[in-house]
Amino acid sequence: MIGIIDYGMGNLYSVSKALERLNYEYLISDDPRQLKKAKGLILPGVGSFKDAMRILNETGLSEFIRTAATEGTPLLGICLGMQLLFEESEENGLTQGLRLLNGRVVRFRGVSANGEKYKVPHMGWNRLSFHRSSPLLDNVEQGHVYFVHSYYVQTNDHDVVLASSEYDVDVPAVVGKGNVFGTQFHPEKSGAIGMRILQNYASIVEGRGNE
């Protein structure tokens, strides 16, 4: 069973419906005691990094997520949920994240190096470029997926970046280290590619359950 973490800032409906289409059992909860029953966790997210971390810290969910990840529970962050996995964000003032992956979340500048303006947020379909193999990307095509974000991850830990997309800069689009994964795009809104990634994640969770 997969636990979808409800902290009031995630698109729970689309994620849960995607899991239903894949015939995977899930629960939605803000209670660590309930979420502890799950073999894997999904951390969705839309909105402000600062607000999200405030809620996660106030409810004890941040400590629960860090402990679960440290103990080997497969964790998938989606959009803002992926950004929260990293060390800190500059959004609305510097805010510490969950610190499960090394990197910082920064805003798109909106102006390229040659002075050309580009639209922020990065919104719409963009192509994936793969860099490293991962069970999360098994049998996934390097096609287009759906993004909506104004901030992106900068990291010196290049091994954590499994796939990227270009939007003036190289944007980490799929990240992963050990049992911790993330997608900057919305897999549940990204057609066959996104559904395959969710299916792969569920298979990772199932594999842990059979250990």
Side-chain angles (χ1 to χ4, degrees):
M1 181 171 58
I2 294 173
I4 303 174
I5 301 170
D6 179 9
Y7 59 106
M9 295 185 64
N11 192 345
L12 306 178
Y13 179 81
S14 61
V15 174
S16 62
K17 287 301 177 184
L19 292 178
E20 284 181 14
R21 290 198 299 273
L22 293 169
N23 294 316
Y24 285 107
E25 185 180 1
Y26 68 89
L27 66 86
I28 299 173
S29 180
D30 60 357
D31 186 346
R33 293 170 297 180
Q34 292 296 318
L35 292 166
K36 201 167 186 178
K37 300 175 184 177
K39 297 296 184 182
L41 297 169
I42 292 180
L43 179 64
V46 292
S48 163
F49 189 106
K50 182 182 286 290
D51 290 342
M53 283 307 304
R54 175 182 55 79
I55 295 169
L56 291 176
N57 288 331
E58 288 176 353
T59 58
L61 282 167
S62 57
E63 182 180 354
F64 164 74
I65 293 167
R66 282 193 291 265
T67 299
T70 300
E71 292 176 348
T73 300
L75 171 64
L76 175 66
I78 295 175
C79 197
L80 173 62
M82 183 195 104
Q83 296 178 2
L84 295 170
L85 303 176
F86 287 84
E87 294 172 283
E88 60 186 19
S89 172
E90 67 176 25
E91 184 177 2
N92 297 324
L94 197 63
T95 303
Q96 190 177 79
L98 293 170
R99 308 188 309 280
L100 294 171
L101 300 173
N102 295 326
R104 189 183 198 198
V105 180
V106 300
R107 195 177 195 278
F108 286 110
R109 293 175 58 202
V111 181
S112 65
N114 61 11
E116 293 183 2
K117 294 183 179 180
Y118 60 91
K119 185 178 178 181
V120 178
H122 172 206
M123 182 168 60
W125 296 83
N126 205 343
R127 184 173 176 82
L128 291 177
S129 296
F130 292 178
H131 303 298
R132 286 164 187 81
S133 61
S134 167
L136 191 67
L137 297 178
D138 282 352
N139 299 310
V140 176
E141 297 179 1
Q142 295 190 94
H144 288 73
V145 291
Y146 188 76
F147 292 86
V148 184
H149 62 121
S150 298
Y151 290 77
Y152 69 100
V153 170
Q154 286 183 339
T155 178
N156 292 323
D157 186 359
H158 301 296
D159 289 342
V160 81
V161 182
L162 306 178
S164 65
S165 290
E166 184 178 351
Y167 194 69
D168 184 60
V169 295
D170 284 333
V171 177
V174 184
V175 299
K177 191 170 188 177
N179 55 296
V180 177
F181 304 95
T183 63
Q184 181 60 75
F185 57 91
H186 288 272
E188 76 280 8
K189 298 180 180 180
S190 295
I193 291 175
M195 292 299 285
R196 181 68 206 191
I197 288 174
L198 288 174
Q199 186 173 16
N200 286 343
Y201 171 71
S203 295
I204 293 168
V205 174
E206 284 184 339
R208 180 175 185 263
N210 294 329
E211 289 177 358

